Amino acid sequence: MTPGDKKRTATPSATEGRKAEHVDLVVRERVEHRAKRTGFDDLNFEHNALPELHFDDISLETTLLGFSLKAPLLISSMTGGYTGAYEINRALGRAAEKFGLAIGLGSGRQALESAEQHRTFSVVREVAPKAFIFANIGGVEAARLHATGKSGELRRLIDLLQANALAIHLNPVQELLQPEGSRDFRGVLAGIESCVKTLTVPIIVKEVGSGISQSVARRLLEVGVRAIDVAGAGGTSWAGVEILRNGIGSRHNLEPFWDWGIPTAEALQQVSELRPEFGFDLISSGGIRTGVDVAKSVALGATAAGVARPLIQAFVEHDEEALFALVETFLFQLRAAMFLTGSSDIPALTRQRLHPRANNTDLS
Ligand SMILES: Cc1cc2nc3c(=O)[nH]c(=O)nc-3n(C[C@H](O)[C@H](O)[C@H](O)COP(=O)(O)O)c2cc1C
């Protein structure tokens, strides 16, 4: 049976069923970009054979939107709103608290409509009283709320999560390829601006794996967005997820879109050029698979790097211990990359330059 053959009516609502199906597919199937890579492998640090540091003295501490993190790592927005999300979010929340990371929740649209699955969201604050938590909503939903004069309703979602920020996701590829997705992306920027003006928490705008270009970032920053998560291509492909979900049932050949998007490292370089002009935090995500990717992201101007699929996979396929072990690996690799570049802290890592692979001979 292909994933597309699965019945979509097995869970209480279509939205809950879709969320469960997404997690199932992401964990079990190869849903990463195929031909397109993040671009981090083509960029190398200059190896420092004389670091003059003690590994244990290296500080990973940083701040995101004025909030202290123990490391520049965040658990990207994933889930909430169906029964199985409770345990996943509890584990992810516990990881955020244990390691002092930021954590995003999955889209909370359904939580605004029904209280039934609220605990699947609120559990994160219960287990992570000190973590930087951000709520999540789609750009299309932000547009709809604005058009009906209801942007303020998002306060209920922020209160439910006791969130420190709201992330608005832009996912035109996914919506287009999803049979029940929205094809109307008009008014999304106005919806985002309305959130900036109506809500007291900072607004982060993110993609979901196809990247944010410099020109899109500029339009977002001009309306007051405080952080941009490029969520570029090279990791999870939401076109891939929807293609697998549709299976043979889709009318058109969607394969050409599997690898659609701006590679993460390229998006990061484009958007970071705007940093001198606008004060904002830049988040790198989409295919972050090692702590070296995190280190390279910081060197390219990111405040923090986000990871989604590998973390949920570690928990769902294994257990909480596996999730914690994976986070520890990311942190060890980040610290090792800092050691091997002679970077004693995050500001020092920020000053490191990356070189195209062909031009040097180091091993990183
Ligand atoms: C199971 C799953 C569910 C996701 N749900 C959301 C979501 O609700 N909102 C959102 O902004 N991004 C969502 N994402 C996208 C991630 O936040 C991230 O941008 C994307 O997966 C790329 O990161 P990765 O390559 O590390 O997986 C989801 C990702 C996964 C794996």
Side-chain angles (χ1 to χ4, degrees):
M1 181 166 96
T2 69
D5 296 330
K6 283 183 188 163
K7 279 232 179 327
R8 292 190 190 126
T9 49
T11 43
S13 76
T15 311
E16 288 179 39
R18 186 170 68 242
K19 284 169 185 243
E21 201 176 354
H22 277 157
V23 170
D24 196 51
L25 270 170
V26 160
V27 168
R28 284 177 220 291
E29 305 284 332
R30 288 200 62 230
V31 292
E32 305 244 320
H33 281 260
R34 287 170 172 163
K36 198 163 277 177
R37 313 198 51 159
T38 57
F40 289 116
D41 286 349
D42 300 327
L43 297 167
N44 282 338
F45 283 112
E46 184 171 284
H47 172 61
N48 183 345
L50 198 57
E52 293 288 346
L53 295 170
H54 192 299
F55 185 77
D56 297 341
D57 292 340
I58 292 171
S59 165
L60 306 184
E61 280 174 22
T62 192
T63 57
L64 175 65
L65 290 166
F67 199 95
S68 299
L69 302 181
K70 283 198 191 137
L73 189 63
L74 60 91
I75 299 171
S76 291
S77 311
M78 280 186 276
T79 197
Y82 74 99
T83 311
Y86 180 82
E87 286 205 349
I88 295 171
N89 278 343
R90 187 178 57 186
L92 295 173
R94 279 165 51 84
E97 186 73 7
K98 182 174 164 75
F99 296 101
L101 314 179
I103 175 169
L105 273 289
S107 172
R109 185 180 73 170
Q110 180 234 25
L112 290 174
E113 290 157 10
S114 149
E116 210 174 307
Q117 296 291 349
H118 275 188
R119 283 205 72 209
T120 65
F121 291 96
S122 58
V123 63
V124 174
R125 181 55 84 200
E126 279 167 34
V127 298
K130 295 201 219 91
F132 179 93
I133 297 179
F134 49 99
N136 185 287
I137 198 84
V140 171
E141 188 61 9
R144 193 189 65 78
L145 288 169
H146 173 56
T148 50
K150 291 181 182 161
S151 303
E153 284 200 7
L154 289 166
R155 280 192 211 104
R156 288 197 285 118
L157 180 65
I158 291 159
D159 289 347
L160 171 68
L161 274 63
Q162 295 179 48
N164 306 93
L166 172 72
I168 301 176
H169 67 259
L170 305 177
N171 62 341
V173 177
Q174 184 190 13
E175 294 285 349
L176 195 58
L177 270 52
Q178 193 170 284
E180 64 277 53
S182 172
R183 295 187 169 191
D184 187 358
F185 264 66
R186 292 172 300 176
V188 172
L189 189 60
I192 293 169
E193 185 172 16
S194 173
C195 290
V196 169
K197 290 190 172 141
T198 316
L199 305 173
T200 50
V201 295
I203 304 298
I204 303 168
V205 173
K206 71 186 287 291
E207 238 281 349
V208 299
S210 295
I212 291 182
S213 65
Q214 185 179 100
S215 61
V216 167
R218 176 178 290 282
R219 286 154 70 200
L220 295 168
L221 294 165
E222 279 170 354
V223 301
V225 167
R226 295 267 309 279
I228 293 190
D229 178 346
V230 295
T236 305
S237 161
W238 281 93
V241 174
E242 296 302 339
I243 289 168
L244 292 179
R245 250 186 97 219
N246 282 332
I248 48 166
S250 73
R251 223 173 104 222
H252 306 293
N253 176 11
L254 304 174
E255 286 285 335
F257 299 97
W258 190 295
D259 277 323
W260 186 274
I262 309 166
T264 301
E266 187 183 322
L268 209 52
Q269 281 165 300
Q270 283 191 27
V271 180
S272 73
E273 284 174 15
L274 299 175
R275 289 193 86 184
E277 197 178 335
F278 300 91
F280 68 103
D281 277 330
L282 179 55
I283 299 166
S284 165
S285 78
I288 300 294
R289 297 293 177 261
T290 69
V292 179
D293 292 340
V294 177
K296 288 178 179 176
S297 296
V298 172
L300 289 176
T303 314
V307 185
R309 182 171 181 252
L311 299 178
I312 199 166
Q313 212 168 21
F315 177 69
V316 174
E317 284 198 325
H318 303 282
D319 52 22
E320 196 173 82
E321 284 312 308
L323 167 65
F324 290 176
L326 182 58
V327 173
E328 273 170 1
T329 295
F330 269 97
L331 298 178
F332 175 85
Q333 292 169 338
L334 168 61
R335 192 183 290 272
M338 291 173 71
F339 181 73
L340 297 172
T341 54
S343 312
S344 60
D345 55 17
I346 296 298
L349 181 60
T350 308
R351 292 190 292 274
Q352 296 292 337
R353 292 284 148 262
L354 290 167
H355 307 280
R357 179 177 284 282
N359 292 349
N360 73 24
T361 51
D362 73 15
L363 301 172
S364 54

